[in-house]
Amino acid sequence: SDTKVSRAPVSQSSPLGVRNHLAIQEASGPSHVAINAISANMDSFARGRTAILKKQPSHMEAAHFGDLGTETEVILHVVTRVFELFIHLRTLDVINAFHRNCTIRCEVEEPVLQPGQQSLTKNVLSHLNSSSVRPLISRHFSEFLRSHHFCKYQIEVLTSGSVFLADILFSESALFYFSEYMEKEEAMNILQFWLAADNFQNQLASKRGQYDGQEAQNDAMILYDKYFSLQATNPLGFGDSVRMMIESNICREGGPLPDCFTTPLRQAWTTMEKGSKKAVIKILKNFDEAITVDVASLDPESLYQRPYAGRMTFGKVNELGQFIREAEPEPDVKKSKGSMFSQAMKKWVQGNSDEAQEEMAWQIAKMIVNDVINQSNHDSPGKSTKV
Amino acid sequence: MSETYDFLFKFLVIGSAGTGKSCLLHQFIENKFKQDSNHTIGVEFGSRVVNVGGKTVKLQIWDTAGQERFRSVTRSYYRGAAGALLVYDITSRETYNALTNWLTDARTLASPNIVIILCGNKKDLDADREVTFLEASRFAQENELMFLETSALTGENVEEGFLKCARTILNKIDSGELDPERMGSGIQYGDASLRQLRQPRSTTTQTKQQCNC
């Protein structure tokens, strides 16, 4: 959970104002944060799931996917496995990845499937890369994303104990339930503060060239008066040290910076994260209720059996396993490339920027995946299971 | 602490800066006028349980910032709202002229079925009036909005505005025009109505067996 905290929307403060500006801009975009948090959650989930797969007797898994028969279903099933493999690739450091791939590939082939299905799967695997099957796979992959397998997967993630705070806070339909939950828990102030301070930060960070110190200070003072001052109307209960730090941030010569409320934002996040586990269960309950037509004849399995549950998904995973949110399309915000200065700045810090690193990681992941596919194409079956 | 209610509605309060959105909300929730009101940073919210047509309805009200610089931030809260108060200031033509923009935003970003009531606020400042009742009510008619003139200062018509909007939503639920079970409807069943739902349903629900998702 350490990774999650450090990936929270509030970026580490840095002594350099401009760098800070960029960092916050990059880190605070809903999609960015959500993707990080979700992948962190999916990672830990996938790890846990693989461990379970290893322990579970093969017949149980086979029973789980007991309807495997036609080639289509096997492809779908394999895609599920490949999807899990991609999730692994997302986090593993590059050196270990090669070793792991083979193991995972063995899992795909061996413990999961019954003998008769194994050869079929191998067959499918060996055809994965052939040009005739490629369109088929890509079609099935998107089908998979809309299938009840994936829907179930998402619900499993939500119920697996991994907390999905970012996804709640950046998905309005979930936020609708979450704020109701927070209100019942009498924790509304924390959520309100988080939303307002996040808005303050985003708004300020998006100003770039047109920063108005006086205006920023006025805005910050409103939040200060409401949540932090000794006469706060909605006190959050932070100690003197936090209050004094905010005071000095607000009174900074030239006006407060976007990261003015970083510390309390982070604490609010942590607090909400603790509460959100319970909330997720409640939200899920509400989702169940929202999507069930006849509650009286509720069959839990039927929740997943909806062929095109597209609108129920939080997002999709592209062919590399990269999570693309679709829960909250940005209402056509024009993405400016920033001033010449900030572009130049980006170039300088590129080596350190998360974005660049992530892009690099994706490229490497792609290479690895291609490599695995090639191996499965050329290696003899005996060889591939040894490593 | 948790009150029981039949429905939970998500409401928005939108409109230009300084029209009194936060004061309307404050008046509705606290029953008093907020003297020293600051501009809203992004979004705030409040809630109140009301009785409408024999049903208890909890309104979860999202009060958005009117200032242009928060526009892109606040827009993201529009999604999945069941109702909205679109507020202008009767003493400021500028806020009235901006209504079309706010309306377009609400209709495109929130649910297309969103129920909107137009509120001409600061009714108490009749001497400084720049927008006549007639003009605004024509605008409301043309755009299929309900319309009221309100005063957050005196409290006149404030509760009525919220109730009217809630009542219309309830009517639409009853008539089948609105489906609370649709994702993003901005409507949630409360504990009270869930208990009824758990029992075998009446024939009225039989007609919507098919889930069109």
Side-chain angles (χ1 to χ4, degrees), chain A residues 325-347:
Chain A
R325 287 186 59 76
E326 46 185 31
E328 184 214 55
E330 279 291 309
D332 51 44
V333 184
K334 282 183 206 101
K335 283 222 171 114
S336 76
K337 281 187 175 168
S339 64
M340 271 169 66
F341 180 67
S342 68
Q343 278 186 41
M345 201 59 205
K346 261 191 179 157
K347 260 183 200 163

mmCIF file with all atom_site columns, all heavy atoms in Angstrom, chain A residues 325-347:
data_model
loop_
_atom_site.group_PDB
_atom_site.id
_atom_site.type_symbol
_atom_site.label_atom_id
_atom_site.label_alt_id
_atom_site.label_comp_id
_atom_site.label_asym_id
_atom_site.label_entity_id
_atom_site.label_seq_id
_atom_site.pdbx_PDB_ins_code
_atom_site.Cartn_x
_atom_site.Cartn_y
_atom_site.Cartn_z
_atom_site.occupancy
_atom_site.B_iso_or_equiv
_atom_site.pdbx_formal_charge
_atom_site.auth_seq_id
_atom_site.auth_comp_id
_atom_site.auth_asym_id
_atom_site.auth_atom_id
_atom_site.pdbx_PDB_model_num
ATOM 1   N N   . ARG A 1 325 ? -8.980  4.625  -19.041 1.00 0.00 ? 325 ARG A N   1
ATOM 2   C CA  . ARG A 1 325 ? -10.237 4.939  -18.371 1.00 0.00 ? 325 ARG A CA  1
ATOM 3   C C   . ARG A 1 325 ? -11.306 5.326  -19.378 1.00 0.00 ? 325 ARG A C   1
ATOM 4   O O   . ARG A 1 325 ? -11.037 6.025  -20.331 1.00 0.00 ? 325 ARG A O   1
ATOM 5   C CB  . ARG A 1 325 ? -10.053 6.147  -17.451 1.00 0.00 ? 325 ARG A CB  1
ATOM 6   C CG  . ARG A 1 325 ? -9.284  5.889  -16.221 1.00 0.00 ? 325 ARG A CG  1
ATOM 7   C CD  . ARG A 1 325 ? -9.340  7.132  -15.380 1.00 0.00 ? 325 ARG A CD  1
ATOM 8   N NE  . ARG A 1 325 ? -10.718 7.466  -15.070 1.00 0.00 ? 325 ARG A NE  1
ATOM 9   C CZ  . ARG A 1 325 ? -11.441 6.833  -14.181 1.00 0.00 ? 325 ARG A CZ  1
ATOM 10  N NH1 . ARG A 1 325 ? -10.927 5.831  -13.519 1.00 0.00 ? 325 ARG A NH1 1
ATOM 11  N NH2 . ARG A 1 325 ? -12.669 7.207  -13.946 1.00 0.00 ? 325 ARG A NH2 1
ATOM 12  N N   . GLU A 1 326 ? -12.525 4.899  -19.100 1.00 0.00 ? 326 GLU A N   1
ATOM 13  C CA  . GLU A 1 326 ? -13.617 5.477  -19.878 1.00 0.00 ? 326 GLU A CA  1
ATOM 14  C C   . GLU A 1 326 ? -14.772 5.863  -18.980 1.00 0.00 ? 326 GLU A C   1
ATOM 15  O O   . GLU A 1 326 ? -15.834 6.246  -19.428 1.00 0.00 ? 326 GLU A O   1
ATOM 16  C CB  . GLU A 1 326 ? -14.064 4.537  -21.006 1.00 0.00 ? 326 GLU A CB  1
ATOM 17  C CG  . GLU A 1 326 ? -14.250 3.108  -20.594 1.00 0.00 ? 326 GLU A CG  1
ATOM 18  C CD  . GLU A 1 326 ? -14.584 2.186  -21.744 1.00 0.00 ? 326 GLU A CD  1
ATOM 19  O OE1 . GLU A 1 326 ? -14.126 2.446  -22.874 1.00 0.00 ? 326 GLU A OE1 1
ATOM 20  O OE2 . GLU A 1 326 ? -15.316 1.235  -21.507 1.00 0.00 ? 326 GLU A OE2 1
ATOM 21  N N   . ALA A 1 327 ? -14.507 5.788  -17.703 1.00 0.00 ? 327 ALA A N   1
ATOM 22  C CA  . ALA A 1 327 ? -15.569 6.150  -16.768 1.00 0.00 ? 327 ALA A CA  1
ATOM 23  C C   . ALA A 1 327 ? -15.835 7.654  -16.820 1.00 0.00 ? 327 ALA A C   1
ATOM 24  O O   . ALA A 1 327 ? -16.935 8.105  -16.611 1.00 0.00 ? 327 ALA A O   1
ATOM 25  C CB  . ALA A 1 327 ? -15.188 5.746  -15.344 1.00 0.00 ? 327 ALA A CB  1
ATOM 26  N N   . GLU A 1 328 ? -14.826 8.406  -17.123 1.00 0.00 ? 328 GLU A N   1
ATOM 27  C CA  . GLU A 1 328 ? -15.001 9.851  -17.054 1.00 0.00 ? 328 GLU A CA  1
ATOM 28  C C   . GLU A 1 328 ? -14.305 10.531 -18.214 1.00 0.00 ? 328 GLU A C   1
ATOM 29  O O   . GLU A 1 328 ? -13.168 10.972 -18.101 1.00 0.00 ? 328 GLU A O   1
ATOM 30  C CB  . GLU A 1 328 ? -14.428 10.371 -15.735 1.00 0.00 ? 328 GLU A CB  1
ATOM 31  C CG  . GLU A 1 328 ? -14.652 11.820 -15.527 1.00 0.00 ? 328 GLU A CG  1
ATOM 32  C CD  . GLU A 1 328 ? -13.480 12.421 -14.791 1.00 0.00 ? 328 GLU A CD  1
ATOM 33  O OE1 . GLU A 1 328 ? -12.347 12.276 -15.251 1.00 0.00 ? 328 GLU A OE1 1
ATOM 34  O OE2 . GLU A 1 328 ? -13.727 13.037 -13.770 1.00 0.00 ? 328 GLU A OE2 1
ATOM 35  N N   . PRO A 1 329 ? -14.942 10.563 -19.364 1.00 0.00 ? 329 PRO A N   1
ATOM 36  C CA  . PRO A 1 329 ? -14.301 11.269 -20.468 1.00 0.00 ? 329 PRO A CA  1
ATOM 37  C C   . PRO A 1 329 ? -14.171 12.742 -20.118 1.00 0.00 ? 329 PRO A C   1
ATOM 38  O O   . PRO A 1 329 ? -15.119 13.350 -19.626 1.00 0.00 ? 329 PRO A O   1
ATOM 39  C CB  . PRO A 1 329 ? -15.258 11.065 -21.635 1.00 0.00 ? 329 PRO A CB  1
ATOM 40  C CG  . PRO A 1 329 ? -16.521 10.564 -21.052 1.00 0.00 ? 329 PRO A CG  1
ATOM 41  C CD  . PRO A 1 329 ? -16.278 10.120 -19.654 1.00 0.00 ? 329 PRO A CD  1
ATOM 42  N N   . GLU A 1 330 ? -12.992 13.276 -20.318 1.00 0.00 ? 330 GLU A N   1
ATOM 43  C CA  . GLU A 1 330 ? -12.792 14.689 -20.047 1.00 0.00 ? 330 GLU A CA  1
ATOM 44  C C   . GLU A 1 330 ? -13.687 15.506 -20.973 1.00 0.00 ? 330 GLU A C   1
ATOM 45  O O   . GLU A 1 330 ? -13.681 15.308 -22.177 1.00 0.00 ? 330 GLU A O   1
ATOM 46  C CB  . GLU A 1 330 ? -11.327 15.059 -20.331 1.00 0.00 ? 330 GLU A CB  1
ATOM 47  C CG  . GLU A 1 330 ? -10.383 14.718 -19.207 1.00 0.00 ? 330 GLU A CG  1
ATOM 48  C CD  . GLU A 1 330 ? -10.597 15.593 -17.986 1.00 0.00 ? 330 GLU A CD  1
ATOM 49  O OE1 . GLU A 1 330 ? -10.625 16.828 -18.129 1.00 0.00 ? 330 GLU A OE1 1
ATOM 50  O OE2 . GLU A 1 330 ? -10.736 15.033 -16.899 1.00 0.00 ? 330 GLU A OE2 1
ATOM 51  N N   . PRO A 1 331 ? -14.482 16.396 -20.414 1.00 0.00 ? 331 PRO A N   1
ATOM 52  C CA  . PRO A 1 331 ? -15.312 17.238 -21.280 1.00 0.00 ? 331 PRO A CA  1
ATOM 53  C C   . PRO A 1 331 ? -14.443 18.211 -22.085 1.00 0.00 ? 331 PRO A C   1
ATOM 54  O O   . PRO A 1 331 ? -13.988 19.215 -21.564 1.00 0.00 ? 331 PRO A O   1
ATOM 55  C CB  . PRO A 1 331 ? -16.216 17.971 -20.302 1.00 0.00 ? 331 PRO A CB  1
ATOM 56  C CG  . PRO A 1 331 ? -15.543 17.862 -18.971 1.00 0.00 ? 331 PRO A CG  1
ATOM 57  C CD  . PRO A 1 331 ? -14.642 16.696 -18.997 1.00 0.00 ? 331 PRO A CD  1
ATOM 58  N N   . ASP A 1 332 ? -14.230 17.843 -23.294 1.00 0.00 ? 332 ASP A N   1
ATOM 59  C CA  . ASP A 1 332 ? -13.292 18.469 -24.228 1.00 0.00 ? 332 ASP A CA  1
ATOM 60  C C   . ASP A 1 332 ? -12.426 19.616 -23.689 1.00 0.00 ? 332 ASP A C   1
ATOM 61  O O   . ASP A 1 332 ? -12.622 20.770 -24.026 1.00 0.00 ? 332 ASP A O   1
ATOM 62  C CB  . ASP A 1 332 ? -14.001 18.893 -25.530 1.00 0.00 ? 332 ASP A CB  1
ATOM 63  C CG  . ASP A 1 332 ? -15.256 19.720 -25.247 1.00 0.00 ? 332 ASP A CG  1
ATOM 64  O OD1 . ASP A 1 332 ? -15.199 20.614 -24.383 1.00 0.00 ? 332 ASP A OD1 1
ATOM 65  O OD2 . ASP A 1 332 ? -16.265 19.439 -25.874 1.00 0.00 ? 332 ASP A OD2 1
ATOM 66  N N   . VAL A 1 333 ? -11.503 19.247 -22.843 1.00 0.00 ? 333 VAL A N   1
ATOM 67  C CA  . VAL A 1 333 ? -10.531 20.222 -22.373 1.00 0.00 ? 333 VAL A CA  1
ATOM 68  C C   . VAL A 1 333 ? -9.432  20.320 -23.425 1.00 0.00 ? 333 VAL A C   1
ATOM 69  O O   . VAL A 1 333 ? -8.908  19.315 -23.865 1.00 0.00 ? 333 VAL A O   1
ATOM 70  C CB  . VAL A 1 333 ? -9.900  19.761 -21.038 1.00 0.00 ? 333 VAL A CB  1
ATOM 71  C CG1 . VAL A 1 333 ? -8.956  20.835 -20.525 1.00 0.00 ? 333 VAL A CG1 1
ATOM 72  C CG2 . VAL A 1 333 ? -10.961 19.452 -20.019 1.00 0.00 ? 333 VAL A CG2 1
ATOM 73  N N   . LYS A 1 334 ? -9.162  21.515 -23.819 1.00 0.00 ? 334 LYS A N   1
ATOM 74  C CA  . LYS A 1 334 ? -8.102  21.662 -24.805 1.00 0.00 ? 334 LYS A CA  1
ATOM 75  C C   . LYS A 1 334 ? -6.764  21.468 -24.116 1.00 0.00 ? 334 LYS A C   1
ATOM 76  O O   . LYS A 1 334 ? -6.454  22.137 -23.143 1.00 0.00 ? 334 LYS A O   1
ATOM 77  C CB  . LYS A 1 334 ? -8.169  23.051 -25.439 1.00 0.00 ? 334 LYS A CB  1
ATOM 78  C CG  . LYS A 1 334 ? -9.268  23.134 -26.478 1.00 0.00 ? 334 LYS A CG  1
ATOM 79  C CD  . LYS A 1 334 ? -9.266  24.492 -27.159 1.00 0.00 ? 334 LYS A CD  1
ATOM 80  C CE  . LYS A 1 334 ? -10.648 24.818 -27.673 1.00 0.00 ? 334 LYS A CE  1
ATOM 81  N NZ  . LYS A 1 334 ? -11.361 25.751 -26.802 1.00 0.00 ? 334 LYS A NZ  1
ATOM 82  N N   . LYS A 1 335 ? -6.032  20.530 -24.619 1.00 0.00 ? 335 LYS A N   1
ATOM 83  C CA  . LYS A 1 335 ? -4.737  20.280 -23.991 1.00 0.00 ? 335 LYS A CA  1
ATOM 84  C C   . LYS A 1 335 ? -3.682  21.146 -24.656 1.00 0.00 ? 335 LYS A C   1
ATOM 85  O O   . LYS A 1 335 ? -3.236  20.877 -25.759 1.00 0.00 ? 335 LYS A O   1
ATOM 86  C CB  . LYS A 1 335 ? -4.387  18.795 -24.128 1.00 0.00 ? 335 LYS A CB  1
ATOM 87  C CG  . LYS A 1 335 ? -5.167  17.930 -23.144 1.00 0.00 ? 335 LYS A CG  1
ATOM 88  C CD  . LYS A 1 335 ? -4.267  16.872 -22.538 1.00 0.00 ? 335 LYS A CD  1
ATOM 89  C CE  . LYS A 1 335 ? -4.965  16.155 -21.391 1.00 0.00 ? 335 LYS A CE  1
ATOM 90  N NZ  . LYS A 1 335 ? -5.210  14.777 -21.665 1.00 0.00 ? 335 LYS A NZ  1
ATOM 91  N N   . SER A 1 336 ? -3.318  22.187 -23.967 1.00 0.00 ? 336 SER A N   1
ATOM 92  C CA  . SER A 1 336 ? -2.275  23.033 -24.520 1.00 0.00 ? 336 SER A CA  1
ATOM 93  C C   . SER A 1 336 ? -0.935  22.370 -24.257 1.00 0.00 ? 336 SER A C   1
ATOM 94  O O   . SER A 1 336 ? -0.769  21.642 -23.285 1.00 0.00 ? 336 SER A O   1
ATOM 95  C CB  . SER A 1 336 ? -2.312  24.405 -23.872 1.00 0.00 ? 336 SER A CB  1
ATOM 96  O OG  . SER A 1 336 ? -1.765  24.341 -22.592 1.00 0.00 ? 336 SER A OG  1
ATOM 97  N N   . LYS A 1 337 ? -0.016  22.592 -25.132 1.00 0.00 ? 337 LYS A N   1
ATOM 98  C CA  . LYS A 1 337 ? 1.278   21.965 -24.943 1.00 0.00 ? 337 LYS A CA  1
ATOM 99  C C   . LYS A 1 337 ? 2.126   22.754 -23.960 1.00 0.00 ? 337 LYS A C   1
ATOM 100 O O   . LYS A 1 337 ? 3.225   22.373 -23.638 1.00 0.00 ? 337 LYS A O   1
ATOM 101 C CB  . LYS A 1 337 ? 2.002   21.865 -26.283 1.00 0.00 ? 337 LYS A CB  1
ATOM 102 C CG  . LYS A 1 337 ? 1.487   20.709 -27.116 1.00 0.00 ? 337 LYS A CG  1
ATOM 103 C CD  . LYS A 1 337 ? 2.336   20.523 -28.352 1.00 0.00 ? 337 LYS A CD  1
ATOM 104 C CE  . LYS A 1 337 ? 1.902   19.296 -29.131 1.00 0.00 ? 337 LYS A CE  1
ATOM 105 N NZ  . LYS A 1 337 ? 2.525   19.269 -30.454 1.00 0.00 ? 337 LYS A NZ  1
ATOM 106 N N   . GLY A 1 338 ? 1.590   23.853 -23.508 1.00 0.00 ? 338 GLY A N   1
ATOM 107 C CA  . GLY A 1 338 ? 2.321   24.660 -22.559 1.00 0.00 ? 338 GLY A CA  1
ATOM 108 C C   . GLY A 1 338 ? 3.211   25.665 -23.263 1.00 0.00 ? 338 GLY A C   1
ATOM 109 O O   . GLY A 1 338 ? 3.368   25.640 -24.484 1.00 0.00 ? 338 GLY A O   1
ATOM 110 N N   . SER A 1 339 ? 3.756   26.546 -22.489 1.00 0.00 ? 339 SER A N   1
ATOM 111 C CA  . SER A 1 339 ? 4.602   27.575 -23.071 1.00 0.00 ? 339 SER A CA  1
ATOM 112 C C   . SER A 1 339 ? 5.892   26.953 -23.591 1.00 0.00 ? 339 SER A C   1
ATOM 113 O O   . SER A 1 339 ? 6.206   25.804 -23.309 1.00 0.00 ? 339 SER A O   1
ATOM 114 C CB  . SER A 1 339 ? 4.939   28.606 -22.006 1.00 0.00 ? 339 SER A CB  1
ATOM 115 O OG  . SER A 1 339 ? 5.694   27.978 -21.003 1.00 0.00 ? 339 SER A OG  1
ATOM 116 N N   . MET A 1 340 ? 6.612   27.724 -24.373 1.00 0.00 ? 340 MET A N   1
ATOM 117 C CA  . MET A 1 340 ? 7.885   27.225 -24.874 1.00 0.00 ? 340 MET A CA  1
ATOM 118 C C   . MET A 1 340 ? 8.792   26.855 -23.719 1.00 0.00 ? 340 MET A C   1
ATOM 119 O O   . MET A 1 340 ? 9.511   25.869 -23.755 1.00 0.00 ? 340 MET A O   1
ATOM 120 C CB  . MET A 1 340 ? 8.575   28.292 -25.737 1.00 0.00 ? 340 MET A CB  1
ATOM 121 C CG  . MET A 1 340 ? 8.175   28.198 -27.185 1.00 0.00 ? 340 MET A CG  1
ATOM 122 S SD  . MET A 1 340 ? 8.729   29.627 -28.087 1.00 0.00 ? 340 MET A SD  1
ATOM 123 C CE  . MET A 1 340 ? 10.488  29.457 -28.005 1.00 0.00 ? 340 MET A CE  1
ATOM 124 N N   . PHE A 1 341 ? 8.680   27.683 -22.686 1.00 0.00 ? 341 PHE A N   1
ATOM 125 C CA  . PHE A 1 341 ? 9.528   27.433 -21.526 1.00 0.00 ? 341 PHE A CA  1
ATOM 126 C C   . PHE A 1 341 ? 9.215   26.092 -20.872 1.00 0.00 ? 341 PHE A C   1
ATOM 127 O O   . PHE A 1 341 ? 10.102  25.306 -20.588 1.00 0.00 ? 341 PHE A O   1
ATOM 128 C CB  . PHE A 1 341 ? 9.342   28.561 -20.511 1.00 0.00 ? 341 PHE A CB  1
ATOM 129 C CG  . PHE A 1 341 ? 10.180  28.386 -19.286 1.00 0.00 ? 341 PHE A CG  1
ATOM 130 C CD1 . PHE A 1 341 ? 11.569  28.471 -19.377 1.00 0.00 ? 341 PHE A CD1 1
ATOM 131 C CD2 . PHE A 1 341 ? 9.604   28.124 -18.062 1.00 0.00 ? 341 PHE A CD2 1
ATOM 132 C CE1 . PHE A 1 341 ? 12.344  28.311 -18.246 1.00 0.00 ? 341 PHE A CE1 1
ATOM 133 C CE2 . PHE A 1 341 ? 10.379  27.962 -16.937 1.00 0.00 ? 341 PHE A CE2 1
ATOM 134 C CZ  . PHE A 1 341 ? 11.753  28.047 -17.019 1.00 0.00 ? 341 PHE A CZ  1
ATOM 135 N N   . SER A 1 342 ? 7.924   25.846 -20.707 1.00 0.00 ? 342 SER A N   1
ATOM 136 C CA  . SER A 1 342 ? 7.581   24.597 -20.034 1.00 0.00 ? 342 SER A CA  1
ATOM 137 C C   . SER A 1 342 ? 7.888   23.394 -20.908 1.00 0.00 ? 342 SER A C   1
ATOM 138 O O   . SER A 1 342 ? 8.173   22.308 -20.412 1.00 0.00 ? 342 SER A O   1
ATOM 139 C CB  . SER A 1 342 ? 6.112   24.607 -19.614 1.00 0.00 ? 342 SER A CB  1
ATOM 140 O OG  . SER A 1 342 ? 5.281   24.574 -20.723 1.00 0.00 ? 342 SER A OG  1
ATOM 141 N N   . GLN A 1 343 ? 7.825   23.594 -22.222 1.00 0.00 ? 343 GLN A N   1
ATOM 142 C CA  . GLN A 1 343 ? 8.207   22.491 -23.108 1.00 0.00 ? 343 GLN A CA  1
ATOM 143 C C   . GLN A 1 343 ? 9.690   22.181 -22.981 1.00 0.00 ? 343 GLN A C   1
ATOM 144 O O   . GLN A 1 343 ? 10.104  21.023 -22.929 1.00 0.00 ? 343 GLN A O   1
ATOM 145 C CB  . GLN A 1 343 ? 7.887   22.844 -24.564 1.00 0.00 ? 343 GLN A CB  1
ATOM 146 C CG  . GLN A 1 343 ? 6.433   22.602 -24.903 1.00 0.00 ? 343 GLN A CG  1
ATOM 147 C CD  . GLN A 1 343 ? 6.167   22.822 -26.368 1.00 0.00 ? 343 GLN A CD  1
ATOM 148 O OE1 . GLN A 1 343 ? 6.977   22.417 -27.195 1.00 0.00 ? 343 GLN A OE1 1
ATOM 149 N NE2 . GLN A 1 343 ? 5.075   23.471 -26.680 1.00 0.00 ? 343 GLN A NE2 1
ATOM 150 N N   . ALA A 1 344 ? 10.454  23.265 -22.927 1.00 0.00 ? 344 ALA A N   1
ATOM 151 C CA  . ALA A 1 344 ? 11.891  23.090 -22.768 1.00 0.00 ? 344 ALA A CA  1
ATOM 152 C C   . ALA A 1 344 ? 12.183  22.410 -21.429 1.00 0.00 ? 344 ALA A C   1
ATOM 153 O O   . ALA A 1 344 ? 13.007  21.508 -21.328 1.00 0.00 ? 344 ALA A O   1
ATOM 154 C CB  . ALA A 1 344 ? 12.585  24.443 -22.830 1.00 0.00 ? 344 ALA A CB  1
ATOM 155 N N   . MET A 1 345 ? 11.435  22.846 -20.452 1.00 0.00 ? 345 MET A N   1
ATOM 156 C CA  . MET A 1 345 ? 11.595  22.291 -19.101 1.00 0.00 ? 345 MET A CA  1
ATOM 157 C C   . MET A 1 345 ? 11.316  20.797 -19.124 1.00 0.00 ? 345 MET A C   1
ATOM 158 O O   . MET A 1 345 ? 12.037  20.008 -18.519 1.00 0.00 ? 345 MET A O   1
ATOM 159 C CB  . MET A 1 345 ? 10.579  23.005 -18.201 1.00 0.00 ? 345 MET A CB  1
ATOM 160 C CG  . MET A 1 345 ? 10.898  22.959 -16.755 1.00 0.00 ? 345 MET A CG  1
ATOM 161 S SD  . MET A 1 345 ? 12.473  23.695 -16.418 1.00 0.00 ? 345 MET A SD  1
ATOM 162 C CE  . MET A 1 345 ? 12.858  22.827 -14.916 1.00 0.00 ? 345 MET A CE  1
ATOM 163 N N   . LYS A 1 346 ? 10.286  20.444 -19.829 1.00 0.00 ? 346 LYS A N   1
ATOM 164 C CA  . LYS A 1 346 ? 9.925   19.041 -19.916 1.00 0.00 ? 346 LYS A CA  1
ATOM 165 C C   . LYS A 1 346 ? 11.064  18.224 -20.500 1.00 0.00 ? 346 LYS A C   1
ATOM 166 O O   . LYS A 1 346 ? 11.316  17.114 -20.091 1.00 0.00 ? 346 LYS A O   1
ATOM 167 C CB  . LYS A 1 346 ? 8.669   18.876 -20.781 1.00 0.00 ? 346 LYS A CB  1
ATOM 168 C CG  . LYS A 1 346 ? 7.414   18.721 -19.945 1.00 0.00 ? 346 LYS A CG  1
ATOM 169 C CD  . LYS A 1 346 ? 6.263   18.294 -20.796 1.00 0.00 ? 346 LYS A CD  1
ATOM 170 C CE  . LYS A 1 346 ? 5.018   18.128 -19.938 1.00 0.00 ? 346 LYS A CE  1
ATOM 171 N NZ  . LYS A 1 346 ? 3.797   18.249 -20.693 1.00 0.00 ? 346 LYS A NZ  1
ATOM 172 N N   . LYS A 1 347 ? 11.706  18.822 -21.504 1.00 0.00 ? 347 LYS A N   1
ATOM 173 C CA  . LYS A 1 347 ? 12.817  18.119 -22.133 1.00 0.00 ? 347 LYS A CA  1
ATOM 174 C C   . LYS A 1 347 ? 13.932  17.879 -21.128 1.00 0.00 ? 347 LYS A C   1
ATOM 175 O O   . LYS A 1 347 ? 14.525  16.817 -21.085 1.00 0.00 ? 347 LYS A O   1
ATOM 176 C CB  . LYS A 1 347 ? 13.341  18.940 -23.314 1.00 0.00 ? 347 LYS A CB  1
ATOM 177 C CG  . LYS A 1 347 ? 12.817  18.422 -24.646 1.00 0.00 ? 347 LYS A CG  1
ATOM 178 C CD  . LYS A 1 347 ? 13.399  19.189 -25.792 1.00 0.00 ? 347 LYS A CD  1
ATOM 179 C CE  . LYS A 1 347 ? 12.533  19.031 -27.027 1.00 0.00 ? 347 LYS A CE  1
ATOM 180 N NZ  . LYS A 1 347 ? 12.800  20.041 -28.026 1.00 0.00 ? 347 LYS A NZ  1
#
